[in-house]
Amino acid sequence: MFRSGDRIEVKTPGELEAMRVAGLVVAHTLARIRDAVSAGVTTAALDDIAAESIRGEGATPSFLGYHGFPAHICVSVNDEVVHGIPGPRILAAGDLVSVDCGAIVDGWHGDAAITVAVGDVTPDVAELSRITEEALWAGLAAARPGGRLSDIGHAVESRIRAAGDHYGIVEDYVGHGIGSRMHMEPAVPNYGRPGRGPRLKPGMALAVEPMVVLGAADVQVLDDEWTVAACDASPAAHWEHTVAITEDGPWVLTALGEVRP
Ligand code: MG
Ligand code: MG
């Protein structure tokens, strides 16, 4: 279970400002990719946009070379949940594409993900993405000083459960602490009972990232040893933001506009 909160990195206000700079690079990059997603575009072309955007803003991509990952972003299509590798795949109308991006500025990390529909998708697929994004924001809202870590996962799960029992919340992959490294303590699950785990303190930063399948939550790693896909081949959505806990409440460091208390 959860260990002491003492191991969670606490940032100074100035360090959180530095993380916001990295977060904005991620926000700008994901906005550029969102605008480029359309039928006929390859996932490799999205990676090229990410490379140009991240480096163009003077940042370093966190994913490239991370445990050997071969690209600047993860692009996961339809039943792929996370960690898809960009390549020659051509997007088609009706696809649902999740894009995950990380950037480093002056040693500080930002990490966020969006899910984008290619042209018209079926209503149930559009709803999957909408509910997953809403669940993300419910989790972010629970990132408050004095609260407990598990309040976040509880808020995420509650939003998804309220939407129906046809959604599978992926449990094999979770959110994480973030700051001077991309993946740090603590793990941030997308489920659980509230009021448990470390107490949330100003200066902590977390990546909250619900992964939801329009089917069963079981996932498997494909033969490329990266792509995580739904075992039942159902479509999946993934939304993520990096959030800082401040005295007054959550500050969403990877939001395109200012989302702070
Ligand atoms: Mg991410
Ligand atoms: Mg993450």
Side-chain angles (χ1 to χ4, degrees):
M1 268 314 282
F2 296 115
R3 298 173 64 167
S4 160
D6 295 346
R7 294 168 68 242
I8 301 173
E9 186 177 77
V10 173
K11 272 68 86 169
T12 66
E15 289 169 342
L16 291 183
E17 294 288 347
M19 285 186 70
R20 172 60 172 156
V21 176
L24 270 175
V25 173
V26 172
H28 295 153
T29 300
L30 287 173
R32 290 175 181 125
I33 291 167
R34 182 192 60 214
D35 290 347
V37 166
S38 63
V41 168
T42 65
T43 56
L46 303 180
D47 192 63
D48 291 343
I49 291 167
E52 192 171 332
S53 174
I54 293 168
R55 299 213 191 272
E57 298 207 20
T60 304
S62 359
F63 294 4
L64 185 65
Y66 185 81
H67 293 288
F69 189 76
H72 301 79
I73 50 174
C74 300
V75 182
S76 308
V77 183
N78 296 335
D79 59 314
E80 298 170 358
V81 183
V82 287
H83 304 168
I85 302 171
R89 181 172 187 158
I90 299 170
L91 297 176
D95 284 344
L96 190 68
V97 187
S98 296
V99 180
D100 195 342
C101 179
I104 313 165
V105 178
D106 293 335
W108 295 101
H109 288 251
D111 184 10
I114 58 174
T115 295
V116 188
V118 184
D120 290 330
V121 297
T122 59
D124 58 339
V125 167
E127 184 74 352
L128 164 72
S129 180
R130 191 180 71 79
I131 293 298
T132 306
E133 185 182 10
E134 281 191 16
L136 165 62
W137 284 96
L140 296 172
R144 314 192 67 83
R148 297 277 194 157
L149 179 66
S150 77
D151 297 349
I152 296 171
H154 179 72
V156 169
E157 179 177 14
S158 297
R159 179 66 196 92
I160 293 163
R161 296 283 175 241
D165 57 8
H166 52 300
Y167 295 112
I169 301 172
V170 173
E171 298 189 357
D172 292 359
Y173 297 84
V174 296
H176 49 93
I178 182 169
S180 60
R181 286 180 286 123
M182 179 163 63
H183 291 135
M184 308 182 76
E185 292 291 319
V188 184
N190 293 300
Y191 54 89
R193 288 190 285 175
R196 285 155 202 271
R199 199 166 285 287
L200 301 175
K201 295 177 186 164
M204 291 178 175
L206 305 169
V208 181
E209 49 180 317
M211 290 150 265
V212 182
V213 180
L214 187 61
D218 307 283
V219 295
Q220 60 187 333
V221 178
L222 302 186
D223 288 342
D224 64 16
E225 297 184 347
W226 278 105
T227 309
V228 176
C231 293
D232 67 3
S234 296
H238 177 214
W239 284 88
E240 177 181 24
H241 272 305
T242 297
V243 64
I245 292 147
T246 76
E247 300 280 358
D248 302 315
W251 179 15
V252 184
L253 299 174
T254 45
L256 200 51
E258 280 298 327
V259 181
R260 62 188 302 176

